[in-house]
Every structure is written in structure tokens, then in C-alpha cells.
Amino acid sequence: MYIRTLMNRNDIKEIKELFSTPKNIVIVPHKNPDGDAIGACLAMYHYLNDKGHNAIVVAPNDYPDFLKWLPGSKDVYKFDMQNRQAKSALDKSSIVFLLDFNSLQRVGDDMMSTLEDFIGTFIMIDHHQQPDNVAKYLYSDISICSTCQMIYHFLEKLEDVKAITPEIATCLYTGIMTDTGSFRFPSTTSTTHKIIADLIDKGANNAKIHNNVYDTNSYGSLQLLGRALSNLIVVDKLKTAYITLTQSDLDEFNYQKGDTEGIVNYALSLEGIIFAVIFIEDVEQQIVKVSFRSKGSFSVNKFAREHFDGGGHDNAAGGKSKISLDATVSKFLHLLSSYKKELLNSYEE
Ligand code: 5GP
Ligand code: MN
């Protein structure tokens, strides 16, 4: 079925009408929200409250400490920990924003069933592939580097970029920075840089944001990185490198949420490597969380969807496995050889 992915003039007119009187609004990111998801939600949170609405961010669960300094972070409800307040906010709301995800499954089973019962208006803004048809208003563009950049474009469509405060600018800058790997991935365009320049003009303190996100490691998280790097295995012949972390590796270095974020990129930074993977054992959830990164035409979104119950973007995706860590790696290695041609042809210098 065809679904319209870009908001047209009539959609914008209707959304402006919706916003013309104060509303109760809930804003939702995906489970295990990252900088882009939380940045987009908090930017929208400030924008809507500044406009006189009563907006609340309800995240499915917690997010890393290196995002907790973001303005408004302390007001975020976590659906798993503050279930009563979160459900009550959803009950009262007539509009729910779904930001940085393409399918209700991405909020996790518990929250998904609550959202499925929601009878108001969904507005989805997202840059992942193949969005589900759940929202009355959908703004989906897989060519844009981040949902935060899309929020900026959404405000352009509402002719309200002037409403961007230093708080909103800070949230949007953070999401664009984290989802572009600090402005280095191919999805970073001149438009991205123009928006970033405008966000700095509007009060985003770029040096402070980089420091808050990247230079707040704990001793344990650096030691865990050391362990991950020493567990790195290179499959030269298939231009692939992968890392494993067992639950006991995590426990040994007092793992905190967010400590493994970005580690997979070290595997991708090896010269000649175009496919990088990290497998992280999670004994409590009885899964192995897998993150995939690639360079060039080898689609990790497709690989994750087909084999690891996941998805994402062409060059960055995630998934999970319900078998043991060793069995997951064996399955992966077995699959890998069948992708030889795609891997070797992915990235022409
Ligand atoms: P990460 O590997 O950093 O967790 O995620 C990389 C990208 O893949 C992100 O855009 C994220 O939203 C997406 N992603 C991560 N895990 C999953 C998953 O289990 N399912 C789907 N559909 N996407 C995922
Ligand atoms: Mn994103």
C-alpha cells in the first residue's frame, strides 16, 4: 500500500489548526533512546510548551548519562519506571509525536500495547527506512541524517524557525552531532552544516555540547573499551571486523547504560574494513544485542532485518539474537561467507 511520506501543504495547515489551541501532547522516542531520539523529543517538548501546550516526553526506558544534561531531561518520564504517570499522560493527550522510529514495535512490547490503544492523532517524524502506516501525519525522509534535522525542517514548514530558543538549539545540535558521527557520515550535507550554523547563532554552545557528550567517560567505560578492542577479530578476506562483549566483561568494568555506544565504530575505522559488528551479551534480557555498521553499498539495514530481527539505516543498523553469544557469532560467520560478493564490491575507492 502506498503511504504518503512527506507532509503536504494541507497536512501542515491541519497541524497548524491542531496547534492553534492548547493541547495535551505526549512525545515518544524509541526504546534505548540515543542522542538523536532524545534531542528531537526535548526540542519538540520545549517548542510545544513555549507555545502554550502541555507537552510531556515519555521514553520507553532510560538513556545514557551523557545525555542527561540536556535541557528538560529531568522532566522525561520513563514508561518502565514511572508507568502510572506515563500512562496517565498518554490517557490525557490528544496528540502523540513518534520521533526517530518507524514502527510501534520499536518502543518495546509493554509500551507498544498502550500506544496501540491510543485514539488521538499520531504525528511521526523519522528517517528510518520503510515506515509503518500508523500515523495520520507522517514525515519520513531516509536521506536526512537525523530526526533532529527533520524537526528543524518541520519548524520551517510551520514557518516558525524563529521560535528556536537556545534550549531547542542545544537539543537539535546534539542529535545532529550524534547521528552524523560529528558531521562525518555521508548523510551530512551542506544543508546540515547551514542548519548547524543557524543553531549556533540561536544559542547552541557547540564546544560545550561536544564536551558533555564525548568527554565525560568514566574510568570503567574506557577500560571496557580496552577490553572490546582486545576482543576485536578481523576477517580480512571479507573486509569485516567484529567485537564481542560478554556479560562478565560488562560486569567487570561496572557497565553503565551508554558505555558501549560508539565502540563498533572502532572496528569500522580499520583500514580496508567495510563491515563492522559488535555483539553484546545481555543475560537479564536473555538476548545478544547486535550493532552493525558499513561503508558503501552493503546494506546493514537489510542484513539486520533478514537475519537479526532488526533494522535501521543502510550504513547503521541494529538487531538482536535469542541464542547464546557463541551460537550468535557462529551463525553470523556462517552467513558472512554467503555475502562475499556484496562485501568485496561494497566500497570502491
Ligand atoms: P545502534 O546500533 O546504534 O543501536 O543502532 C543503529 C541504528 O539502528 C539506529 O538508527 C537504531 O534506531 C537502529 N536499530 C537499532 N537496534 C534496532 C532494532 O532492534 N530494530 C530496528 N528496527 N532498528 C534498530
Ligand atoms: Mn536518528
Side-chain angles (χ1 to χ4, degrees):
M1 192 185 102
Y2 171 77
I3 43 176
R4 198 151 40 77
T5 53
L6 292 176
M7 287 176 180
N8 63 22
R9 226 185 274 172
N10 194 51
D11 292 330
I12 293 298
K13 190 167 146 253
E14 288 178 15
I15 291 171
K16 279 183 176 172
E17 272 162 27
L18 276 179
F19 287 173
S20 65
T21 53
K23 294 281 182 325
N24 290 322
I25 302 174
V26 165
I27 308 162
V28 179
H30 54 78
K31 194 173 176 187
N32 298 320
D34 58 4
D36 188 33
I38 286 295
C41 287
L42 287 174
M44 202 43 111
Y45 163 83
H46 289 294
Y47 174 75
L48 293 169
N49 282 306
D50 292 350
K51 292 276 152 187
H53 302 289
N54 173 34
I56 296 174
V57 179
V58 177
N61 63 347
D62 203 7
Y63 49 90
D65 280 351
F66 64 75
L67 298 170
K68 298 261 169 83
W69 60 273
L70 279 166
S73 176
K74 65 175 184 359
D75 302 327
V76 173
Y77 287 151
K78 282 97 193 176
F79 189 84
D80 58 351
M81 303 299 287
Q82 292 145 294
N83 195 260
R84 195 176 46 79
Q85 296 98 312
K87 278 189 165 152
S88 149
L90 278 161
D91 278 345
K92 286 189 203 131
S93 68
S94 57
I95 301 172
V96 170
F97 275 88
L98 308 170
L99 301 185
D100 199 38
F101 61 101
N102 54 359
S103 150
L104 288 186
Q105 283 170 12
R106 294 280 291 125
V107 300
D109 291 344
D110 282 358
M111 191 165 171
M112 180 168 79
S113 58
T114 303
L115 286 182
E116 280 171 343
D117 293 339
F118 175 70
I119 45 167
T121 305
F122 279 129
I123 302 179
M124 178 183 272
I125 302 178
D126 178 52
H127 65 141
H128 294 90
Q129 305 197 349
Q130 296 157 271
D132 283 353
N133 190 16
V134 290
K136 175 159 188 202
Y137 302 106
L138 171 66
Y139 173 28
S140 161
D141 188 338
I142 62 166
S143 73
I144 298 183
C145 65
S146 57
T147 300
C148 280
Q149 179 170 325
M150 297 180 74
I151 299 290
Y152 186 97
H153 293 312
F154 181 61
L155 296 180
E156 284 179 328
K157 290 173 197 287
L158 295 176
E159 297 169 285
D160 215 6
V161 168
K162 59 186 178 304
I164 296 180
T165 58
E167 288 76 22
I168 297 173
T170 300
C171 296
L172 294 181
Y173 186 106
T174 301
I176 297 174
M177 177 189 83
T178 53
D179 252 29
T180 56
S182 297
F183 320 112
R184 59 188 290 255
F185 297 151
S187 54
T188 313
T189 61
S190 63
T191 303
T192 309
H193 282 286
K194 283 173 194 150
I195 290 170
I196 283 295
D198 190 41
L199 295 175
I200 293 172
D201 285 343
K202 289 184 161 54
N205 183 334
N206 51 323
K208 194 170 141 205
I209 294 171
H210 284 260
N211 182 70
N212 287 352
V213 172
Y214 296 119
D215 294 344
T216 50
N217 283 310
S218 65
Y219 184 72
S221 72
L222 284 188
Q223 297 288 101
L224 181 64
L225 171 63
R227 174 63 55 82
L229 295 180
S230 62
N231 290 351
L232 172 73
I233 293 182
V234 179
V235 188
D236 247 336
K237 277 191 299 212
L238 296 172
K239 299 191 175 184
T240 299
Y242 67 94
I243 292 171
T244 51
L245 282 173
T246 63
Q247 183 71 54
S248 66
D249 288 327
L250 302 179
D251 294 345
E252 191 180 332
F253 300 113
N254 185 30
Y255 165 79
Q256 304 292 312
K257 211 174 184 69
D259 284 354
T260 54
E261 214 138 307
I263 293 183
V264 65
N265 295 311
Y266 285 91
L268 197 65
S269 75
L270 277 167
E271 191 175 5
I273 293 303
I274 66 102
F275 184 28
V277 189
I278 186 166
F279 300 94
I280 303 168
E281 188 177 36
D282 183 336
V283 168
E284 197 190 312
Q285 291 197 63
Q286 297 188 311
I287 59 165
V288 176
K289 172 76 186 113
V290 196
S291 283
F292 302 97
R293 299 291 184 271
S294 70
K295 285 183 180 168
S297 61
F298 182 70
S299 171
V300 289
N301 169 55
K302 195 160 162 274
F303 192 86
R305 269 178 189 262
E306 282 176 7
H307 307 295
F308 289 92
D309 188 22
H313 310 282
D314 281 338
N315 295 127
K320 55 187 171 300
S321 156
K322 289 184 174 152
I323 50 179
S324 72
L325 180 62
D326 285 345
T328 303
V329 172
S330 300
K331 169 184 161 177
F332 168 73
L333 290 173
H334 186 73
L335 280 168
L336 201 59
S337 43
S338 64
Y339 283 88
K340 186 169 181 180
K341 217 171 101 202
E342 288 94 322
L343 290 165
L344 297 186
N345 294 334
S346 179
Y347 197 60
E348 301 293 312
E349 295 296 313

